């Protein structure tokens, strides 16, 4: 039969368990300290040195000069044949409110914000980005299907956030380029 453990053996076992727990506590504390150190270093490093290819813009003169003046917003076919959409997010709307693009053609988006962090996603597509004041967000994507979708803001920007959206229309490329010959800026707003 098993005999009850002697007090000395029980005390030795307890000391081994306490020592093992203490070692694991030190290891966990060291890992947490390392992770916090990496986060602080990375945050300070990125704050001091923005990533390459970042374009900045002065939000005070955004509407007055440069590529984001009101007459330059929307979809256009550039001189080199690229389709470019320029847009601005501001509380609580997008400018332009209605965007039209061709199906099956690469479309470059260039956008910024005037006041707060905004973002948008186009319906059920992979077109998704954040608009940050003072920076220009750029990405290129292709829309394979013709149709109309909503483009809501997906970054909470204040009490009117839920009403911040734009209309997004993908039309056949032949129709788009025929309209582009007539109008410098494309829009799906009737009139």
């Amino acid at each position: 039969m098993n005999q009850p453990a002697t007090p000395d053996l029980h005390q030795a076992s307890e000391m081994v368990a306490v020592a093992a727990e203490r070692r694991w506590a030190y290891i966990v504390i060291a890992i947490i300290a390392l992770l916090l150190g990496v986060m602080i270093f990375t945050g300070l490093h990125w704050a001091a040195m923005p990533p390459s290819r970042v374009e900045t813009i002065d939000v005070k003169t955004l509407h007055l000069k440069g590529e984001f003046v009101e007459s330059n917003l929307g979809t256009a076919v550039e001189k080199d044949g690229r389709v470019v959409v320029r847009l601005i997010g501001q509380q609580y709307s997008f400018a332009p409110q209605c965007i039209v693009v061709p199906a099956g053609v690469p479309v470059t988006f260039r956008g910024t914000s005037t006041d707060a962090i905004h973002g948008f996603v186009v319906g059920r597509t992979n077109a998704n980005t954040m608009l940050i004041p003072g920076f220009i967000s750029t990405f290129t994507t292709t829309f394979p299907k013709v149709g109309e979708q909503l483009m809501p803001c997906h970054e909470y920007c204040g009490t009117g956030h839920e009403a911040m959206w734009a209309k997004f229309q993908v039309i056949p490329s032949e129709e788009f380029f025929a309209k582009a010959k007539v109008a410098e800026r494309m829009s799906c707003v009737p009139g």
Side-chain angles (χ1 to χ4, degrees), residues 12 31 61 66 68 98 187:
I31 291 172
T61 60
F68 290 99
C98 191
S187 176

Side-chain angles (χ1 to χ4, degrees), residues 18-165:
V18 167
E21 287 179 10
R22 188 172 291 126
R23 272 193 311 268
W24 279 109
Y26 291 144
I27 291 171
V28 168
I29 289 169
I31 291 172
I32 291 172
L34 177 68
L35 290 174
L36 285 173
V38 167
M39 288 173 23
I40 291 169
F41 173 77
T42 303
L44 293 174
H45 177 72
W46 283 108
M49 298 177 57
S52 62
R53 298 182 302 134
V54 170
E55 291 180 78
T56 59
I57 192 162
D58 184 5
V59 294
K60 295 178 212 148
T61 60
L62 189 67
H63 296 292
L64 304 175
K65 62 182 179 180
E67 75 174 293
F68 290 99
V69 294
E70 188 174 345
S71 62
N72 203 29
L73 297 178
T75 309
V77 178
E78 300 293 307
K79 290 179 178 141
D80 62 2
R82 293 180 309 127
V83 177
V84 177
V85 175
R86 288 183 180 82
L87 63 110
I88 294 175
Q90 55 197 0
Q91 291 179 325
Y92 297 102
S93 66
F94 289 105
Q97 187 62 38
C98 191
I99 297 169
V100 62
V101 297
V105 175
V107 177
T108 299
F109 285 81
R110 292 182 54 80
T112 189
S113 171
T114 61
D115 49 20
I117 295 176
H118 299 286
F120 67 85
V121 60
V122 178
R124 296 182 187 107
T125 70
N126 67 347
N128 178 351
T129 195
M130 290 177 63
L131 303 174
I132 302 170
F135 295 93
I136 299 173
S137 298
T138 303
F139 71 93
T140 302
T141 189
T142 303
F143 300 94
K145 295 182 183 177
V146 171
E148 197 169 280
Q149 302 182 53
L150 289 180
M151 187 179 90
C153 177
H154 63 58
E155 292 291 328
Y156 183 75
C157 53
T159 56
H161 166 73
E162 69 280 350
M164 186 173 173
W165 59 272

